[in-house]
Structure formats: C-alpha cells, structure tokens
Amino acid sequence: MNAKIYNLEAAPAAIPIELKNRKAPIAKRILIGVDTALRSYDAARKVDNLAVGPVMKFRSETELLLYVIKQLELAEEVVVAYEAGPMGYGLHRKVSELGAKCIVCAADSSQQKSKRRKNNQIDARSLTGNLFNFSNGNEAALQLVRVPTEEQEQGRAVSRQHDQLVEERRRLGAQGNALLLSQGFGSRKNWWRPKAFSELSRMLPGWIVELLENWVDLLRALDEKICRAKVALAKRCSGPRPKGAGAASLAQLQSEVLDWELYGNRRKIACLAGMVPSEWSTGDSQRRGSITKVGVPAIRRIITEMVWRIILFQPQYHAVQKWQEILKGPNKALKKKAVIAIGRQLIVDLWRLQTGKASAEELKLVMIEG
C-alpha cells in the first residue's frame, strides 16, 4: 500500500465521514503505530475496533506531533507506539507532554521475515496491530523498553562511552599484535605501554617500529581517556558497597538497571541479565539448556566480572560457598557454569540490598565504605 503524504495543514481521516462534525470525542481509543526514520515518520492508525487505516507519511517530527494533537481531539485516549532505535527517546517525551500515552518497544521483524517483505508501511501497520493486541491484554504482543529519564540517559551514555573506549583500545591493540605475529615476533600484552614498547623497539626492524608508532599515540591517548572515564564513574557511586564490587562497576550497573524498584521479584531482575536457563519442554518432558542471554549484555558482563572479584574477596558469600568444590576443581567448563550461577544469585542479592528486602548481614556480604 502506498504511503500518503500530508502537509501540516492536512487533517487525515480514517473514520466514517458522518462522525466528523461531532464536537465530543468520537472514539474511546485511537492507536498509532509509528515507524521512525531520520527524515520521515510513517504512521498507521486504528480507531477502536475498526480496521487499521492507511499509512501516513510525515516529513518531520513536528508534523507527527501536530497529527497526535488532532487525534487527542477525536478520542478519549490516544496511544502511540514506536520501536526503540537510534532515534532515542525524544519522541516519547514530546508525545507524553502532549497528553497522549507513548510506548517504546523492542524491534520485531518476525512477521516480515515469514513473508519475506519489509518496508516502512508494513512495519507501521504491523506495529499498530501488535499495539492493539497489547492494549487488549496480550502482554506478549510487544516487548516494552524501559524508558530512562534524561538524567538516567546521560549516566548511561557516560558508562557506555567508557566501554566503547575500552573496545576501541582492544581493537587497535589487536592490530599491532597481528603485525607482530605475522612477522614472527609473537604476541605482546599492552605492547604500546612505554616500557614494553621501548623493549620492542630495540629488537624489531625499523619499518615495523615505524608502523607500530602510528598506533602508539592513539593507544596511549585512549589509556588516559579510559582512566579519566573510570574515575568519573567511580565518583557516581557513593555509600557502602560489597567488598570486591568496584565503585565504577556498581555505577555502570546502576546506569543500566535504571531503577531497582521497577522489578517486582527476583525472576525479573535475573531475566534482565539474561542469566536464566533456556528451556525446551513439552508435556512431562523437561529440558533446560544454556542461559538465554536475552537481557542487557552490559549487565551480564559487569556481573560476570564482579563475580570473579567476589570469589577472591568474599569467599564466605553463600553463593560462593555453594559452588566452592567446582571452583577449586580443574574443570574449566564447570567453573564457567558456576560463575554464571553465582552471578545470577549476586544480581538478585544486589536487588534485595538496593530495595531494602534484605540486609548485608543476612546475605553474608561484607560491605566497605567509599
């Protein structure tokens, strides 16, 4: 179906003509699914139980917001939904300020994959249909995204930039190592650091040193930026914390969780880390496999790193005691499983601490200040 383009003055109609002249709201609820892009917004509308209307194309966010204002005059409730992506949460905040309800959900292309057709119009109509099912009680129709406040979003951006700097350093360092390996000089950890590079310069041919120098300045600059970013993260964490859980790590964890109070039970917070086992069961047959990894990858990484330090600094922690024999054993695969199990328990216990459901003494965690 071709998209229709409306100007600011246009008033699109997807309802019976005889209802236009009524001053009171003509519908109980209008649902709008929006496919967002950099230079356009495709929106499909569903009025109450009527069919999904034609897809409308708006050339700017302002046009879309004016359209939402018009819908607020036509219905008692207006619900707008769009998929999370690079456009961020600005649209959510602006639509909410107008008085409409706005939902941000995870992208879902399962229907498009099954039909092997995908475009903005199909996405908008599919999203509107899923929004209708969700609004009528089918919670599985949409996977909601936690919308941060502006302050929370800024904190998360700081945390993720630190991780991006670390990843960029790893990538550039690997390129230098690849050059050393290809020329038969082995691999050197942190080869760009002053002492290591000074040693390499004495044993390498001049042309290799010249190539490595192109990366050295970049890598050392990244070292400085990462150090400053880590200090800034640590300053965001205040108050007592579990021994072994670094201040920077806890600040990053807080920036990803957003609000511990959002999660009503331990299963939900464990799912956020993706540390719950996958399952393929039917009838009396039950089979569980590796973890689902459906949560936030950054949380899973932070918790996993934290577990290794907890094992070292808090061997009395009840989850560590439970897996003590495996952790001391030689089987590396079982050790990894034990770390995941401890991590799943650790994030639940941190949730209990943050929400006041349990004390550090009850959880057998040693707390330190600062």
Side-chain angles (χ1 to χ4, degrees):
M1 182 179 294
N2 295 329
K4 297 182 180 180
I5 301 176
Y6 290 91
N7 296 322
L8 291 176
E9 297 79 13
I15 54 177
I17 298 176
E18 61 269 15
L19 296 178
K20 283 185 177 180
N21 298 324
R22 292 179 56 181
K23 294 183 180 180
I26 59 176
K28 289 187 176 181
R29 184 171 60 191
I30 291 179
L31 306 177
I32 305 173
V34 183
D35 184 80
T36 60
L38 179 61
R39 296 181 178 86
S40 67
Y41 297 82
D42 293 87
R45 180 179 69 166
K46 182 176 177 61
V47 181
D48 289 333
N49 293 322
L50 298 180
V52 177
V55 178
M56 295 154 282
K57 182 180 287 291
F58 303 94
R59 293 299 185 184
S60 69
E61 187 181 79
T62 302
E63 289 187 22
L64 176 63
L65 293 175
L66 288 174
Y67 177 68
V68 172
I69 292 174
K70 181 62 178 177
Q71 304 313 301
L72 287 168
E73 299 173 358
L74 301 176
E76 297 175 5
E77 181 186 21
V78 175
V79 184
V80 179
Y82 70 97
E83 293 178 345
M87 303 303 291
Y89 304 102
L91 179 60
H92 175 277
R93 297 185 181 110
K94 293 174 183 177
V95 170
S96 299
E97 288 175 359
L98 295 177
K101 181 180 179 181
C102 191
I103 293 175
V104 184
C105 61
D108 179 18
S109 59
S110 55
Q111 182 178 351
Q112 291 86 336
K113 287 181 180 179
S114 64
K115 295 182 178 180
R116 301 185 67 182
R117 292 184 68 244
K118 184 185 186 303
N119 55 46
N120 294 346
Q121 291 75 37
I122 291 176
D123 288 348
R125 290 177 61 85
S126 176
L127 180 57
T128 305
N130 290 338
L131 177 59
F132 176 75
N133 294 333
F134 179 83
S135 300
N136 284 279
N138 182 6
E139 295 183 355
L142 292 177
Q143 184 181 349
L144 300 189
V145 171
R146 300 162 299 136
V147 179
T149 64
E150 292 187 41
E151 183 181 357
Q152 289 172 336
E153 192 170 14
Q154 291 171 10
R156 189 165 64 181
V158 171
S159 171
R160 291 185 176 180
Q161 187 184 65
H162 167 271
D163 293 343
Q164 290 163 358
L165 290 171
V166 171
E167 177 60 24
E168 186 65 15
R169 182 179 65 181
R170 185 203 64 78
R171 187 182 67 84
L172 290 176
Q175 291 182 19
N177 264 326
L179 177 61
L180 292 173
L181 284 169
S182 68
Q183 300 303 313
F185 293 99
S187 175
R188 296 295 182 93
K189 185 178 180 181
N190 299 330
W191 57 265
W192 62 90
R193 300 278 168 78
K195 184 178 179 180
F197 191 69
S198 177
E199 294 176 357
L200 279 174
S201 299
R202 291 194 294 269
M203 58 181 290
L204 295 176
W207 69 272
I208 296 181
V209 174
E210 185 178 349
L211 290 178
L212 291 176
E213 284 177 344
N214 292 327
W215 287 309
V216 166
D217 292 340
L218 293 173
L219 286 163
R220 290 179 182 175
L222 283 172
D223 277 343
E224 294 178 5
K225 292 182 181 296
I226 290 169
C227 184
R228 289 198 296 267
K230 195 177 292 293
V231 170
L233 283 171
K235 290 181 179 178
R236 288 175 171 267
C237 180
S238 59
R241 56 184 173 84
K243 186 178 181 180
S249 295
L250 283 177
Q252 285 192 294
L253 183 61
Q254 178 65 52
S255 70
E256 294 294 341
V257 173
L258 300 182
D259 185 358
W260 295 93
E261 298 288 348
L262 289 175
Y263 307 96
N265 57 58
R266 59 187 179 85
R267 291 182 178 85
K268 290 183 178 180
I269 194 68
C271 286
L272 184 64
M275 288 181 163
V276 294
S278 57
E279 184 175 357
W280 300 92
S281 302
T282 179
D284 296 331
S285 174
Q286 186 181 49
R287 185 178 66 178
R288 293 187 175 181
S290 57
I291 58 174
T292 60
K293 296 185 179 181
V294 297
V296 181
I299 292 179
R300 190 164 55 255
R301 176 189 59 78
I302 294 167
I303 288 293
T304 302
E305 291 176 356
M306 202 178 290
V307 166
W308 287 108
R309 296 195 296 269
I310 291 290
I311 292 172
L312 179 63
F313 291 104
Q314 302 216 44
Q316 81 291 341
Y317 178 47
H318 66 97
V320 175
Q321 287 292 318
K322 181 179 179 180
W323 297 93
Q324 193 67 253
E325 292 185 9
I326 291 178
L327 291 171
K328 291 180 178 178
N331 193 316
K332 293 183 179 180
L334 287 179
K335 282 184 180 180
K336 289 181 180 180
K337 291 181 179 180
V339 167
I340 293 299
I342 296 171
R344 182 166 55 244
Q345 184 62 56
L346 178 61
I347 192 171
V348 171
D349 287 344
L350 289 175
W351 166 75
R352 287 170 174 161
L353 275 176
Q354 295 293 332
T355 56
K357 297 183 183 300
S359 65
E361 292 76 13
E362 292 173 334
L363 299 173
K364 296 183 180 181
L365 282 172
V366 176
M367 307 294 286
I368 59 175
E369 292 292 335

